[in-house]
Amino acid sequence: MLAGKRILIVIGGGIAAYKVLEVIRRLKERGAAVRVILTRSGKEFVTPMTVGALSGEKVFSDLFDPTEEQDIGHIVLSRDTDLILVAPATANLIARMANGIADELATASLLAAAAPIIVCPAMNQRMWAHPATQRNAAQLAADGVRFIGPAEGRMAERNEAGVGRLSEPMEIVAGVEAFFTQAEKPKPLAGRHVLVTSGPTIEPIDPVRFITNRSSGKQGHAVAAAAARAGARVTLISGPVSIPDPLGVDIVRVETAREMLAAVLAALPSDVAVMTAAVSDWRPAEVAPQKIKKSAGDPAPLSFIENPDVLATLGHDAQRPKIVVGFAAETTDIEANAARKLATKGADYIVANDVSPAGGVFGSDLNSVRVLSAAGIDVWPTLSKDEVAERLIALVAERLG
Ligand code: CTP
């Protein structure tokens, strides 16, 4: 699978640099052509001689070396490649990448890169956990950079352990293979726009309180990621969640049901809409401008009014997407309730799941669903939320033709 692939490895200055020698060997064994740039500090940990012997190619390091620039030049170096692997990626290297700093050949090449980039962090666990590093890593992820690791385990420092270790060489090689497998998969939704809602909504009561529900956003985010992998342009409209943003999607963050509806309508036209959000059915009739005070045993002074139904509005809209998918969260009479939603909300499919506490769906990575459409009911086995998303996107792609 790696035969003929051109991989550029940027080796940063960390103790784990020696492990990357093994990565080079394994990638070469699998037929990849490997070129290496050593950062200035990377050279302190592995020598150009060793790296060159393993890669079988000239090793690059100096931005201002006239022979290196004449031989190939940093722009070509970063363009003439199918993938760039940064390993070990130190906290300092990640910080420079996140901020677009091009202060040596390695970072200049990363800034000039057109190829996809995979970063393999390696540092002390405190450095990885530091808010600055987390901010920088999140920025890179938002820029489309992929990550392998860091792994958990013992640190180079005595008696320290935690998350920060470089992933094992074979895990890195497997990650690289998985990247190419994914990249070469057919893209049945290329050229399509897919709209996904995800997560809960929250409805304010007063300046300090709100009502919401237990939705984690995992299923909706998985659908958005699957649609992006299938080649679609994806707009993910999400209520507040604590899971990472999926790769390669445009995110619109909202809080209330009304904001979600406005964001959905603003994102039209789209070919497909998958409404997985757990939208709050009601909101407080009024949002109190000040914190509501309790008064001697009285019931809470709250009354609720109904929220707009995002799915039903879209299902009957003049700009209705070609395919509209709703979810149904049920605790009783799953099929009857889901069939009613299919009929009333203008959906082509309703994916029904049992969210009774015994089912343990909320927050879990698994889901047991049945899919209702005009053609009938299809019961799917218990699958991971990622697998449910893959299957659903495959179904939609097939229907779109
Ligand atoms: N939905 C929506 N807007 C709402 C309520 C629900 O878009 N105000 C969507 C959900 O995203 C989901 C589908 O409608 O795709 C069904 O949601 P669910 O909570 O199961 O059903 P409800 O319509 O709220 O009906 P009920 O509360 O009676 O089960």
Side-chain angles (χ1 to χ4, degrees):
M1 177 200 310
L2 295 182
K5 294 286 181 288
R6 298 161 308 166
I7 302 174
L8 175 66
I9 304 187
V10 174
I11 301 186
I15 304 277
Y18 75 91
K19 287 199 202 170
V20 178
L21 301 177
E22 176 77 6
V23 175
I24 297 173
R25 264 189 44 184
R26 299 300 178 192
L27 292 175
K28 293 271 297 174
E29 263 173 24
R30 285 162 177 70
V34 179
R35 260 204 303 229
V36 176
I37 302 179
L38 286 171
T39 65
R40 272 193 298 265
S41 51
K43 272 199 289 195
E44 304 290 329
F45 293 88
V46 288
T47 68
M49 180 88 88
T50 323
V51 172
L54 283 169
S55 68
E57 300 253 3
K58 180 171 164 55
V59 177
F60 300 86
S61 183
D62 189 351
L63 185 57
F64 301 110
D65 178 331
T67 42
E68 279 188 13
E69 270 301 293
Q70 261 162 24
D71 271 1
I72 181 144
H74 66 282
I75 301 288
V76 176
L77 203 51
S78 63
R79 293 286 163 81
D80 204 11
T81 184
D82 300 309
L83 174 70
I84 304 179
L85 189 65
V86 185
T90 59
N92 179 38
L93 187 49
I94 287 174
R96 286 187 285 161
M97 288 175 72
N99 290 285
I101 293 171
D103 57 346
E104 60 170 308
L105 179 66
T107 47
S109 302
L110 286 163
L111 199 58
I117 300 175
I118 298 181
V119 158
C120 308
M123 66 198 74
N124 176 272
Q125 86 278 3
R126 284 182 194 276
M127 294 172 88
W128 174 250
H130 194 285
T133 305
Q134 288 299 310
R135 212 162 44 231
N136 291 333
Q139 181 60 55
L140 288 181
D143 295 343
V145 169
R146 295 162 174 78
F147 283 78
I148 300 175
E152 191 171 356
R154 297 193 63 75
M155 298 287 129
E157 295 77 10
R158 265 194 306 155
N159 304 328
E160 290 204 42
V163 176
R165 278 171 64 95
L166 185 71
S167 296
E168 289 307 318
M170 287 315 289
E171 279 168 7
I172 296 177
V173 171
V176 169
E177 286 179 326
F179 164 80
F180 282 114
T181 309
Q182 191 54 53
E184 282 156 20
K185 259 196 171 157
K187 301 273 182 272
L189 292 183
R192 305 287 193 176
H193 181 207
V194 176
L195 207 64
V196 182
T197 65
S198 184
T201 64
I202 62 174
E203 309 291 338
I205 295 171
D206 65 20
V208 296
R209 303 185 180 98
F210 55 78
I211 56 167
T212 187
N213 59 68
R214 294 184 189 279
S215 169
S216 64
K218 282 181 183 170
Q219 185 63 76
H221 279 47
V223 169
R229 286 195 299 270
R233 173 168 78 82
V234 179
T235 307
L236 172 61
I237 296 161
S238 178
V241 294
S242 57
I243 56 174
D245 296 346
L247 273 184
V249 312
D250 296 326
I251 293 220
V252 183
R253 291 172 218 279
V254 297
E255 294 200 334
T256 67
R258 287 182 298 172
E259 286 169 12
M260 184 169 276
L261 176 60
V264 164
L265 296 178
L268 294 175
S270 78
D271 299 286
V272 178
V274 185
M275 307 281 97
T276 56
V279 184
S280 178
D281 289 324
W282 301 279
R283 66 177 183 276
E286 278 167 42
V287 180
Q290 306 299 338
K291 186 181 171 208
I292 300 170
K293 296 289 182 191
K294 59 183 176 297
S295 72
D298 285 351
L302 294 178
S303 62
F304 292 91
I305 54 174
E306 211 171 306
N307 263 328
D309 189 310
V310 182
L311 170 60
T313 307
L314 192 65
H316 298 106
D317 192 82
Q319 288 198 81
R320 183 191 190 278
K322 290 185 200 79
I323 299 183
V324 174
V325 182
F327 272 65
E330 307 295 347
T331 56
T332 52
D333 298 329
I334 299 172
E335 283 180 14
N337 282 323
R340 184 177 45 77
K341 289 174 190 173
L342 183 70
T344 58
K345 296 197 187 217
D348 300 292
Y349 296 99
I350 289 284
V351 181
N353 53 18
D354 179 355
V355 292
S356 54
V361 164
F362 272 129
S364 156
D365 290 326
L366 295 177
N367 212 350
S368 302
V369 304
R370 29 203 123 170
V371 179
L372 287 80
S373 68
I377 301 178
D378 199 5
V379 180
W380 291 3
T382 298
L383 299 167
S384 72
K385 288 183 177 175
D386 287 335
E387 287 165 331
V388 168
E390 284 284 339
R391 272 207 187 197
L392 187 60
I393 289 302
L395 185 69
V396 163
E398 196 184 307
R399 171 108 172 227
L400 265 178

